[in-house]
Amino acid sequence: MSNAAYAHHESHDFDPGPVELHARNVEFEWEDTPLHWIPNHPVSSNVISMLNLLLPEGERWFVQTYNETLPLVKDEELASAMRGFIGQEAMHAETHDRVLWEFLKNNGVDPTPFQRQMEWVFRKVLGPSNHPDPNVRHKHLVERLWLIAAIEHYTAVLGDFALNNTWSEHDADPAMTDLFRWHGAEEVEHREVAHDVASYFGDSYLKRGRAMLAVLPALLFVINRGTRFIALNDPAGRTGYVGQWFGYFRGARKGLLPTMRSIIFATFTYFKPTFRPSQVGSTSQAVAYLASSPAARAAHK
C-alpha cells in the first residue's frame, strides 16, 4: 500500500467539519526536475505533464465565469464558497502557467502552439455571450456553469487519484508529486462548489446530463491532443501511437495513471439521479495532505 493510499485510510478516522476555502500561495522550483519525472516511465510522466498544457487557460475560464456570476448570487454562504474557489483556481492557473515555461520549455518542449489553441477554445469558443438579449446571455452563462460542474467532477476524480497513486513508490520527482497532490487536494476540498453554483441557477438533471455529454468527448479530444503534442516534441524521441497506449496501460497497471475502468465508473456515477460531489474523494484526506504538503506549509511561513 502506498503512503498516499495509507493516508487515505487513516484520513477517514476524523471529520474536519466545515472547511473554509482559501488560496494557498505556493511556489515550486523546477530546475532539478527532468521531463520524465517518474523514472523509467516516460509515457506516464508525459501524460501527467500534459495537464499543465490544459489547466492554465481552463482555470482562468473558471475564474472569469465565476466573477461574472458572483454579483447574481444572493446566498452569502454560496458566494463565500465561490470566492474561495476563485482564489484557489486563480492560484492553480498561475502555478501551472509557470510550469509551462520553467519546466516544459526548459526541458525542450515549447508549449506556445498548444497554448494558442487553448486560448482560442476558452476565450473565444467558451467566452461570455455578446448577444443583445439579456435572457440569452443569462441562459448562456448557466450553460457554462453546468459545463464547469461537469469538468469539476473529473478534476475531483483526478484529485482523488493524485492523493492515492503510487508515484512515491516509483521515486517520482518530489516537486512534481507535491504540485499535483496539492492541486488535487484542493480540487477535492472544493469539489461541491461548482455543482452547487450551477444548481443555484436551476437544478436540472437534463442540464447536468447534457453538459456531461458535451464535456466528455471534448476532454478526451484535448487530452489525447495534448499527450500527442508532448510525445511528438519530446527531446528524448518521439513516441508513436501504439507506444503511447502501451505506456498508458503499463502506467495504469502500476498505479501511476488512472485506469480506464475508474474513468468510466466516474462518468456513470455522475449520471445517477442521486449523485452528489461529496461522493468523490475524502475532504478529511485532502485537508490532511494540505496540512503536510511541503509547498502549502512553506506558504504559511
Side-chain angles (χ1 to χ4, degrees):
M1 181 184 293
S2 71
N3 292 337
Y6 180 78
H8 177 74
H9 287 272
E10 290 293 297
S11 66
H12 286 292
D13 293 339
F14 73 94
D15 179 2
V19 175
E20 182 178 351
L21 301 176
H22 64 278
R24 297 165 178 88
N25 190 26
V26 298
E27 290 189 11
F28 298 89
E29 299 296 332
W30 302 113
E31 289 86 351
D32 300 324
T33 302
L35 185 64
H36 300 156
W37 53 275
I38 306 175
N40 304 313
H41 288 275
V43 172
S44 293
S45 300
N46 288 346
V47 168
I48 301 298
S49 293
M50 166 274 304
L51 294 173
N52 292 301
L53 293 170
L54 311 183
L55 289 170
E57 283 301 316
E59 309 271 16
R60 290 189 187 105
W61 176 61
F62 291 173
V63 170
Q64 179 273 319
T65 305
Y66 272 36
N67 280 330
E68 181 185 350
T69 306
L70 199 52
L72 305 176
V73 176
K74 307 306 178 186
D75 182 326
E76 182 50 40
E77 184 176 348
L78 181 59
S80 177
M82 289 177 69
R83 286 189 286 269
F85 179 96
I86 289 168
Q88 290 187 343
E89 297 291 14
M91 180 55 64
H92 296 169
E94 179 182 330
T95 303
H96 286 282
D97 198 53
R98 283 187 58 199
V99 178
L100 290 178
W101 310 106
E102 296 177 12
F103 169 69
L104 283 178
K105 184 73 181 288
N106 288 350
N107 276 295
V109 179
D110 183 1
T112 304
F114 200 90
Q115 282 308 102
R116 287 175 180 161
Q117 296 174 27
M118 291 299 97
E119 286 178 7
W120 179 78
V121 168
F122 287 106
R123 300 184 189 187
K124 300 295 184 183
V125 178
L126 295 174
S129 170
N130 294 318
H131 199 281
D133 186 340
N135 292 324
V136 172
R137 293 199 302 272
H138 182 78
K139 182 179 178 181
H140 187 265
L141 173 62
V142 174
E143 294 294 341
R144 280 181 283 141
L145 293 175
W146 277 111
L147 290 176
I148 291 173
I151 294 171
E152 280 288 295
H153 174 58
Y154 286 115
T155 62
V157 169
L158 292 176
D160 186 49
F161 167 78
L163 291 170
N164 294 287
N165 57 39
T166 62
W167 294 344
S168 297
E169 280 100 326
H170 289 82
D171 299 319
D173 177 76
M176 193 65 77
T177 298
D178 188 35
L179 167 72
F180 281 106
R181 287 188 174 154
W182 155 74
H183 186 161
E186 290 197 343
E187 292 296 335
V188 172
E189 186 182 43
H190 71 221
R191 67 196 180 285
E192 297 190 72
V193 175
H195 184 86
D196 289 347
V197 171
S199 297
Y200 179 83
F201 289 93
D203 191 0
S204 166
Y205 181 80
L206 177 62
K207 289 179 180 177
R208 170 154 63 97
R210 187 171 60 200
M212 177 56 78
L213 290 175
V215 161
L216 180 59
L219 276 180
L220 290 175
F221 176 77
V222 295
I223 286 172
N224 178 68
R225 192 173 176 83
T227 303
R228 288 286 294 160
F229 177 82
I230 294 183
L232 294 176
N233 289 279
D234 190 331
R238 294 185 173 190
T239 303
Y241 201 70
V242 173
Q244 277 186 263
W245 277 106
F246 176 80
Y248 164 75
F249 285 114
R250 178 171 174 253
R253 280 196 305 270
K254 292 181 178 295
L256 301 172
L257 294 173
T259 64
M260 200 71 71
R261 178 187 299 178
S262 68
I263 300 300
I264 293 171
F265 177 78
T267 302
F268 279 113
T269 297
Y270 191 77
F271 282 102
K272 290 182 178 179
T274 57
F275 168 77
R276 284 293 306 169
S278 58
Q279 296 164 4
V280 178
S282 162
T283 302
S284 55
Q285 183 192 17
V287 170
Y289 184 79
L290 291 168
S292 64
S293 159
R297 286 171 63 89
H300 288 289
K301 292 180 180 178

